[in-house]
């Protein structure tokens, strides 16, 4: 959400730390520190600053699982190692994450090199059938890992919710960027929906339905977080239940047309 400029009131920060220094480089000072150690300590310090609980509360939850190899990987990664990982080892869901990734802080030249790598990876030709199956498989795993009660709608995780819209955008971008490089510039979900509709990857009716559903969900989600409510909406508690169900039905219909069922 930080990368896609879609931060909400309860959003955490998904960060990846990249640096550019030879592995045998050392910091200056009376007790030189190897570069990997120095940058790892810097990363840990930043996490501490951003996530320390103060009297005013917690600033951000920090999630580092998008780094290469996830929680088992090093906290910081050289750009060269990150590039190799993205080109040779990354899963489709990690390339999905790249559709919303952006450089947010640090050395501008390193940031530009990351942006070039992102464009390269997103612009790769992909087998549409394999991409569709990878996206459906990941969505099925998320669906099966969560239990959502009847007569409720989880704004993010229920079929037809925000996750479906985000996955649809990512599926379309990964499939079309090689023919439509302009799509690599669309970072957020709303921008992605508009761009995919503009270049003709989606029809106007599909783009309008997904855009309206996304805006409805995000508005409701933010309103609920402000009221200290969770994102699980119950039929009896809101007057907009029918509107919500109509939006979800539209999203599910488009998902079924483009990707196929993951709830069977």
């Amino acid at each position: 959400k930080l990368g896609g400029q879609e931060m909400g009131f309860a959003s955490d920060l998904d960060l990846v730390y990249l640096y550019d220094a030879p592995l045998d480089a050392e910091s200056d000072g009376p007790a030189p520190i190897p570069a990997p150690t120095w940058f790892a300590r810097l990363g840990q310090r930043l996490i501490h600053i951003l996530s320390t609980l103060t009297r005013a509360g917690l600033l951000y939850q920090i999630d580092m699982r998008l780094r290469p190899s996830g929680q088992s990987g090093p906290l910081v990664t050289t750009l060269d190692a990150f590039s190799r990982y993205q080109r040779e080892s990354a899963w489709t869901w990690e390339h999905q994450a790249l559709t919303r990734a952006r450089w947010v802080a640090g050395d501008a030249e390193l940031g530009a090199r990351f942006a070039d790598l992102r464009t390269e990876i997103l612009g790769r030709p992909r087998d549409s059938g394999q991409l569709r199956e990878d996206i459906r498989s990941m969505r099925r795993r998320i669906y099966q890992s969560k239990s959502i009660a009847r007569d409720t709608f989880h704004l993010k995780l229920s079929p037809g919710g925000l996750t479906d819209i985000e996955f649809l955008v990512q599926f379309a971008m990964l499939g079309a960027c090689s023919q439509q490089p302009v799509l690599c510039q669309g970072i957020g979900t709303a921008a992605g929906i508009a761009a995919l509709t503009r270049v003709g990857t989606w029809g106007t009716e599909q783009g309008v339905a997904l855009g309206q559903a996304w805006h409805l969900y995000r508005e409701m989600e933010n309103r609920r977080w402000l009221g200290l409510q969770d994102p699980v909406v119950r039929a009896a508690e809101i007057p907009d239940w029918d509107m919500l169900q109509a939006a979800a039905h539209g999203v599910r219909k488009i998902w079924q047309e483009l990707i196929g069922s993951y709830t069977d």
Side-chain angles (χ1 to χ4, degrees), residues 90-101:
W91 296 78
T92 297
W93 67 266
E94 293 174 291
H95 288 172
Q96 288 178 245
L98 272 187
T99 65
R100 293 198 296 185

Side-chain angles (χ1 to χ4, degrees), residues 9-10 147-149 151-158 162 217-235 237-238 241 244:
F9 294 108
S147 178
I148 301 172
D151 297 323
T152 66
F153 184 80
H154 194 298
L155 292 169
K156 181 176 180 179
L157 299 175
S158 284
L162 281 167
Y217 297 156
R218 288 305 309 276
E219 179 183 353
M220 293 184 69
E221 184 181 50
N222 285 330
R223 192 163 64 232
R224 292 182 70 81
W225 282 122
L226 280 174
L228 301 180
Q229 297 172 292
D230 63 29
V232 179
V233 181
R234 292 154 186 85
E237 68 182 15
I238 65 167
W241 180 257
L244 189 65

Side-chain angles (χ1 to χ4, degrees), residues 29-254:
I33 302 173
T37 303
W38 191 91
F39 283 108
R41 291 179 182 178
L42 176 63
Q44 290 168 343
R45 179 62 175 164
L46 181 58
I47 292 173
H48 173 74
I49 291 170
L50 292 174
S51 59
T52 295
L53 183 62
T54 70
R55 292 180 62 185
L58 188 69
L59 185 58
Y60 293 112
Q61 296 279 358
I62 306 299
D63 190 338
M64 300 296 300
R65 290 176 294 177
L66 285 179
R67 68 186 189 269
S69 301
Q71 290 178 320
S72 63
L75 184 66
V76 298
T77 309
T78 64
L79 181 61
D80 287 345
F82 182 77
S83 300
R84 287 194 302 272
Y85 181 83
Q86 289 294 331
R87 291 169 179 146
E88 301 170 8
S89 306
W91 296 78
T92 297
W93 67 266
E94 293 174 291
H95 288 172
Q96 288 178 245
L98 272 187
T99 65
R100 293 198 296 185
R102 66 184 171 97
W103 187 257
V104 295
D107 181 77
E109 181 182 352
L110 188 60
R113 290 167 59 193
F114 165 78
D116 289 342
L117 173 67
R118 174 182 177 273
T119 300
E120 173 201 326
I121 298 298
L122 295 185
R124 283 182 167 185
R126 289 174 168 83
D127 178 86
S128 60
Q130 185 61 56
L131 177 62
R132 182 178 291 106
E133 183 53 38
D134 288 348
I135 298 284
R136 182 167 56 224
S137 176
M138 176 54 69
R139 184 64 183 97
R140 182 182 294 117
R141 287 177 60 185
I142 296 172
Y143 173 75
Q144 293 176 344
S145 69
K146 303 294 181 181
S147 178
I148 301 172
R150 292 172 59 86
D151 297 323
T152 66
F153 184 80
H154 194 298
L155 292 169
K156 181 176 180 179
L157 299 175
S158 284
L162 281 167
T163 297
D164 278 8
I165 298 175
E166 292 168 357
F167 272 40
L168 282 166
V169 171
Q170 293 157 15
F171 166 71
M173 287 183 66
L174 290 176
C177 275
S178 60
Q179 291 82 37
Q180 297 283 355
V182 68
L183 293 174
C184 293
Q185 302 172 13
I187 294 178
T189 303
I193 293 171
L196 288 159
T197 306
R198 190 165 52 248
V199 303
T201 301
W202 288 340
T204 301
E205 185 176 344
Q206 290 174 316
V208 169
L210 292 174
Q212 289 179 344
W214 183 86
H215 284 288
L216 173 66
Y217 297 156
R218 288 305 309 276
E219 179 183 353
M220 293 184 69
E221 184 181 50
N222 285 330
R223 192 163 64 232
R224 292 182 70 81
W225 282 122
L226 280 174
L228 301 180
Q229 297 172 292
D230 63 29
V232 179
V233 181
R234 292 154 186 85
E237 68 182 15
I238 65 167
D240 297 333
W241 180 257
D242 290 342
M243 182 187 302
L244 189 65
Q245 290 299 294
H249 174 75
V251 175
R252 291 196 303 270
K253 180 181 178 182
I254 295 171

